[in-house]
Amino acid sequence: MLQRSLAAFIAATISFAPAAFAGVLPGTTTATDFVFLIDASPSMLNNINAVKAGMSEFVSDLDEANVDARFAIILFGKTGPELILDLTSNATLTEQRLGQILVNGANPGIHNDHNGDPEDSLTAIRAALNVTTTPLAVNNILDESPGHTGRLAFRQNALINLILLTDENSDSAFHSADRMEGQTGTNPPTMDVNFYGSPWQTEVDVTAAAVIDAGAFLNMIVPTCEACPLQYGDPESDISDPDLSNWDEDATLATLRDLSAATLPPGDQRPATASRAEQSLQAQIIDGATQDDTPENLVARAFLIDDLDTDPDFVTNIFAAKVAETVVAVCGDGVAEDEEDCDDANTANGDCCSSTCEFETVGSSCTSDGNACTTDVCNATGTCLHNTITCAADGDPCTADTCDTAAGCNYPDAANGTPCNDGQFCTATDGCVDGTCVGSGSPCGSTECQTVCNEGNNTCADPQNTPCTADSDVCTSEVCNGSGACVSVFNTAPCDDGNECTGDDACLNGTCQGGAGDGCDDLDDCTIDSCAGVTCQHENIQFFSACFGVLIAGDGDTRGKGRIRAGSQALGNACADLGDIGQSTLTDGDWFIMDDSSPKAAKVRGNQATVNGDVATDGGGITAAPKTTDADLFGTGLAKIPTGMIVPKLPSGVVDTTGDHEGLPRCLAAQQNQVSVQALLDALPSDQTFGKLKTAASSTQTFNATNVGGITVIDIQKWSIGNFATINLDGGGSDSTFVIRVDKKLDANAGITWNLINGATAERTVFYVAGGKLEIGLNNTGGGILFTPDGKTVIKAGSTWTGVAIGGKGAELGDNVTLTHAHYQGPNF
């Protein structure tokens, strides 16, 4: 259906003549301008004569009904719409002009030749209403009579009543400027699917909008052609009495909407669900009458033109219906007539009879009787009733409920102290004070978990999880439950499950559970921690030297030097008889020097050496080399050492040359421990034996654990490893310990990779050279305990190693070596 949103489209495509058409409101006038729009083709001769024959009675009926009528005639066909009779009140002239219409050609001085296509009836409707289509600037109605403008000048507030007669569908406009954009053919499409959304539908929409905006009545006497329901409407859908009176617009519109393709002739291929007339001119005009900003009495009726020949009463009935359409009751004359509900001799609202003479809504306000204790409302028959009101209680106990004829309902303050309820739970006593309910006191007491008033919950319950009296169960916490009770809830507090072997014991679901941590870890690197049932055992590691630090030099009897060359890092404690620290080195632990006979027991060879722990000697001095050079010792700042004593002391540790530092005895014990460890390692039975083993350069050699999960001893008389070789120690998938026992010398050259795989680790691997030298070459990568009790252990420049460097005669890190402490963690030997 046409919606009012179409107005924007119409405003862009059509314009109206300067004289605006306000339409007709009930009771305002009976003036009517009738316009006959006639198809002047030969097949229309009998129809035109029938209309002419009925004109006398029509005019007589209009006079009897006191209708102020004027008439105009427009012909269309072949040369476009033509005005052959301007609006006139001369009914005789109108009847005469109808008789002068020739259907086979022109009638000179009266009209042009309209015998032929296009028969542009929709254009004629727009032309009659003075509508022009963009870009046409002038109206195309032609006028042969002198003194006329070619436009119809309708009277202000007069009803426009259009009567269309045609036995054809509407062709496109004769003048191209009057056609819709894209409308190229002459005849409209007859298929719904081709018509909807096409320029032909646009022409219907524009024409309907013009009729609606003019407030005109449209009466179409049309045929039953294929395109007619799409353009005009449907005569068979017009709902009225058999004599065409009492037309029902709502039922007509509903029928037009329901008219479907089921009524189409056999073989028609239009969609079965198409409603052929729902967008027609007739349907859109009727629907337009329901919009808020359109005249209320729009009429759009369709009659079958064939009835002009077959029904002798047809013309009479049509004209009688036109007379009925133009006669309207006059609202405000004091006489209720026709469709008026009432007429109180005025057109004012608010007195139960509206300005349109309809009963006003039941319950709506009407003229007051001046009594504030009554309500003034309309009833269903238009009478203003004055009903006594009962002042409703305001629900406030602190007011009295009374009514005064002048002031109406009023509510003075009740006496102070009148009982009331202030609606607050947290007040204990409520009473009226000067019209207001005031509460005081608290309903809560001192009972545990019931001391805090909660207005939102109407309780005295302390907030949930407020602590309350605890019980003896460490795995529960006692808290208020938010409802006034002290309850026990499970917690995850630390606890003791009675099993030393579990660590990180914590409560779970009310029970103390042993955690995944090792409860037997005594935090002593030099013990082997184990569990026997629920009891922890701590066995001292026999290889104490490996536990104590990252670098051990000397065995307690043999004097050994520990040396860290420039740029290296020893990430752990260092213990030696003599200490030698290069420039820019780092020891991330303590330095212990055991030789008490030398004033230069510890020697710093350059600036910016750093020790992150204590530096202690067994009485010997600490000096710079050369001693006359200022040395930035241990990151402390500039210090000059002319006499062998260091100034100042380390801010991050202790420089102790008194021999009293508590770590010195442990350093000595680590040195002396080498002797006993050597004896234990010598006593181990051999699992694999090699003579002089020479691993070729860039080759790969793998040693497999014989005792998987235990200790595998591999004996080698002398081992030389070529550059860039790869050495694999394969633990067999378990925590296996390797002892590589070399008789004379282990000489690992440059770029060697030591892989500890499948359970073999640096903490469980010992490289033991009984005599001679253990040397890790340049840029080696690997890990394990390097142990040379009767010789010297060397890690050459650029290597990265995880483990401990131990040498009875000395232990040395070359330039830029990183040695990370990993103490022995395998089983005792």
Side-chain angles (χ1 to χ4, degrees):
M1 294 298 101
L2 178 69
Q3 301 298 322
R4 296 309 295 169
S5 60
L6 183 61
F9 166 75
I10 300 304
T13 56
I14 63 173
S15 60
F16 292 93
F21 306 131
V24 178
L25 297 178
T28 59
T29 182
T30 56
T32 304
D33 290 338
F34 292 93
V35 181
F36 291 95
L37 305 167
I38 299 175
D39 173 5
S41 60
S43 58
M44 288 290 296
L45 180 60
N46 291 339
N47 299 322
I48 296 171
N49 289 335
V51 170
K52 175 180 176 295
M55 274 296 296
S56 295
E57 184 176 354
F58 180 36
V59 171
S60 176
D61 290 342
L62 290 172
D63 290 341
E64 186 177 346
N66 295 319
V67 175
D68 179 10
R70 295 195 308 172
F71 306 94
I73 302 173
I74 294 175
L75 303 184
F76 60 88
K78 191 174 183 177
T79 59
E82 178 185 10
L83 178 67
I84 68 168
L85 179 66
D86 206 347
L87 284 167
T88 177
S89 58
N90 189 334
T92 301
L93 176 60
T94 303
E95 187 174 355
Q96 177 185 354
R97 189 58 52 89
L98 286 171
Q100 292 173 329
I101 298 173
L102 298 181
V103 296
N104 289 315
N107 188 348
I110 302 297
H111 67 78
N112 291 328
D113 181 7
H114 291 285
N115 179 15
D117 292 333
E119 295 167 296
D120 46 357
S121 55
L122 294 184
T123 307
I125 293 174
R126 298 195 303 277
L129 296 174
N130 295 323
V131 174
T132 61
T133 55
T134 305
L136 187 63
V138 297
N139 192 285
N140 282 305
I141 296 178
L142 303 178
D143 186 2
E144 296 278 338
S145 303
H148 294 293
T149 64
R151 294 173 180 260
L152 292 176
F154 295 107
R155 293 172 290 176
Q156 185 71 23
N157 292 328
L159 174 64
I160 301 172
N161 201 316
L162 306 178
I163 303 174
L164 172 69
L165 283 85
T166 181
D167 60 358
E168 282 283 350
N169 57 42
S170 178
D171 298 331
S172 61
F174 172 77
H175 297 283
S176 60
D178 285 330
R179 298 171 193 159
M180 302 297 107
E181 183 178 356
Q183 198 175 37
T184 56
T186 300
N187 290 305
T190 60
M191 298 284 287
D192 301 40
V193 293
N194 297 325
F195 195 91
Y196 295 144
S198 72
W200 296 91
Q201 180 68 64
T202 301
E203 183 179 24
V204 172
D205 298 342
V206 169
T207 306
V211 175
I212 292 171
D213 287 336
F217 289 2
L218 176 62
N219 302 273
M220 298 173 287
I221 307 173
V222 294
T224 56
C225 64
E226 285 296 317
C228 291
L230 301 173
Q231 291 184 310
Y232 306 126
D234 179 43
E236 295 182 0
S237 298
D238 200 83
I239 307 301
S240 65
D241 292 343
D243 63 355
L244 307 184
S245 63
N246 297 319
W247 178 63
D248 189 331
E249 64 175 349
D250 293 332
T252 300
L253 180 60
T255 304
L256 291 171
R257 287 172 171 168
D258 291 340
L259 183 63
S260 70
T263 62
L264 299 176
D268 197 301
Q269 298 301 309
R270 278 169 284 209
T273 58
S275 181
R276 302 204 64 214
E278 66 177 352
Q279 294 285 1
S280 66
L281 193 62
Q282 182 182 14
Q284 291 194 44
I285 295 171
I286 298 174
D287 190 41
T290 67
Q291 309 301 321
D292 292 339
D293 56 349
T294 57
E296 297 181 358
N297 62 331
L298 286 170
V299 173
R301 300 189 64 176
F303 307 98
L304 188 60
I305 195 167
D306 291 346
D307 291 342
L308 281 172
D309 282 338
T310 60
D311 185 353
D313 298 322
F314 183 68
V315 171
T316 301
N317 290 337
I318 285 181
F319 281 147
K322 301 311 105 190
V323 173
E325 287 172 1
T326 60
V327 176
V328 292
V330 178
C331 181
D333 62 359
V335 179
E337 53 191 342
D338 295 335
E339 296 181 357
E340 293 179 337
D341 291 337
C342 56
D343 195 323
D344 56 358
N346 67 68
T347 56
N349 291 316
D351 55 5
C352 298
C353 185
S354 72
S355 59
T356 57
C357 290
E358 296 175 322
F359 292 142
E360 296 186 40
T361 304
V362 174
S364 60
S365 298
C366 54
T367 305
S368 173
D369 63 356
N371 185 347
C373 292
T374 62
T375 59
D376 310 302
V377 294
C378 297
N379 67 3
T381 60
T383 302
C384 185
L385 303 178
H386 308 286
N387 301 318
T388 301
I389 66 172
T390 299
C391 291
D394 62 359
D396 186 350
C398 292
T399 62
D401 307 323
T402 62
C403 186
D404 181 83
T405 56
C409 293
N410 59 76
Y411 304 91
D413 294 346
N416 286 347
T418 300
C420 61
N421 187 341
D422 67 354
Q424 302 296 310
F425 174 81
C426 291
T427 56
T429 304
D430 303 331
C432 295
V433 177
D434 297 333
T436 301
C437 190
V438 178
S440 61
S442 172
C444 302
S446 59
T447 302
E448 186 177 45
C449 292
Q450 299 182 26
T451 63
V452 178
C453 191
N454 188 319
E455 188 66 47
N457 295 333
N458 292 341
T459 68
C460 287
D462 290 1
Q464 192 172 14
N465 295 324
T466 300
C468 52
T469 304
D471 61 17
S472 59
D473 188 348
V474 69
C475 286
T476 62
S477 298
E478 282 60 52
V479 295
C480 297
N481 66 357
S483 299
C486 182
V487 297
S488 296
V489 295
F490 295 151
N491 60 33
T492 57
C495 59
D496 186 353
D497 67 349
N499 185 347
E500 290 183 354
C501 301
T502 59
D504 301 326
D505 298 344
C507 294
L508 179 64
N509 297 327
T511 303
C512 188
Q513 304 285 335
D518 185 1
C520 291
D521 186 358
D522 61 0
L523 303 180
D524 186 346
D525 290 341
C526 293
T527 61
I528 299 174
D529 305 319
S530 62
C531 179
V534 296
T535 304
C536 291
Q537 295 181 341
H538 308 285
E539 180 183 3
N540 290 329
I541 294 177
Q542 294 171 326
F543 207 163
F544 172 72
S545 300
C547 301
F548 179 72
V550 69
L551 185 144
I552 311 292
D555 60 6
D557 292 326
T558 303
R559 193 179 195 201
K561 177 186 285 188
R563 186 169 188 180
I564 303 177
R565 292 183 178 270
S568 291
Q569 301 184 60
L571 304 180
N573 295 332
C575 171
D577 290 313
L578 296 173
D580 197 330
I581 305 173
Q583 181 171 337
S584 301
T585 58
L586 168 67
T587 299
D588 193 12
D590 299 326
W591 255 100
F592 297 104
I593 311 300
M594 298 306 300
D595 191 337
D596 61 357
S597 62
S598 172
K600 300 178 182 178
K603 184 180 290 187
V604 180
R605 293 187 175 272
N607 291 337
Q608 298 179 347
T610 302
V611 179
N612 283 339
D614 297 343
V615 179
T617 73
D618 191 22
I622 302 175
T623 186
K627 69 178 182 180
T628 57
T629 301
D630 293 340
D632 183 11
L633 298 179
F634 313 132
T636 64
L638 188 64
K640 193 176 185 70
I641 311 173
T643 61
M645 297 298 291
I646 184 170
V647 179
K649 293 181 180 181
L650 280 172
S652 59
V654 176
V655 175
D656 187 349
T657 59
T658 65
D660 295 332
H661 194 283
E662 62 182 8
L664 291 170
R666 291 173 62 84
C667 173
L668 178 61
Q671 290 177 319
Q672 294 172 341
N673 177 246
Q674 295 182 59
V675 177
S676 60
V677 171
Q678 182 176 14
L680 292 171
L681 292 177
D682 287 342
L684 291 173
S686 178
D687 295 297
Q688 300 178 44
T689 302
F690 298 89
K692 293 181 180 180
L693 184 61
K694 192 167 187 177
T695 302
S698 301
S699 65
T700 299
Q701 186 165 23
T702 300
F703 297 92
N704 295 308
T706 302
N707 299 318
V708 176
I711 301 175
T712 297
V713 179
I714 300 173
D715 278 330
I716 303 172
Q717 184 180 7
K718 183 179 180 181
W719 190 9
S720 177
I721 307 173
N723 294 332
F724 307 110
T726 299
I727 307 299
N728 295 324
L729 298 183
D730 190 329
S734 184
D735 292 333
S736 297
T737 299
F738 283 91
V739 175
I740 311 298
R741 193 165 55 186
V742 181
D743 183 39
K744 293 183 179 181
K745 184 178 181 181
L746 190 159
D747 188 5
N749 283 290
I752 296 172
T753 300
W754 302 77
N755 287 332
L756 306 177
I757 58 177
N758 288 336
T761 64
E763 292 84 354
R764 301 176 72 91
T765 299
V766 178
F767 295 94
Y768 162 45
V769 178
K773 189 174 184 180
L774 191 161
E775 187 172 283
I776 300 298
L778 298 171
N779 299 315
N780 273 219
T781 301
I785 312 302
L786 305 177
F787 181 46
T788 314
D790 291 332
K792 187 176 182 181
T793 298
V794 177
I795 302 177
K796 288 195 171 183
S799 292
T800 300
W801 198 264
T802 300
V804 185
I806 305 172
K809 293 182 179 180
E812 179 178 318
L813 305 184
D815 292 345
N816 299 311
V817 170
T818 299
L819 177 58
T820 303
H821 185 225
H823 68 275
Y824 177 75
Q825 293 182 354
N828 281 332
F829 309 116

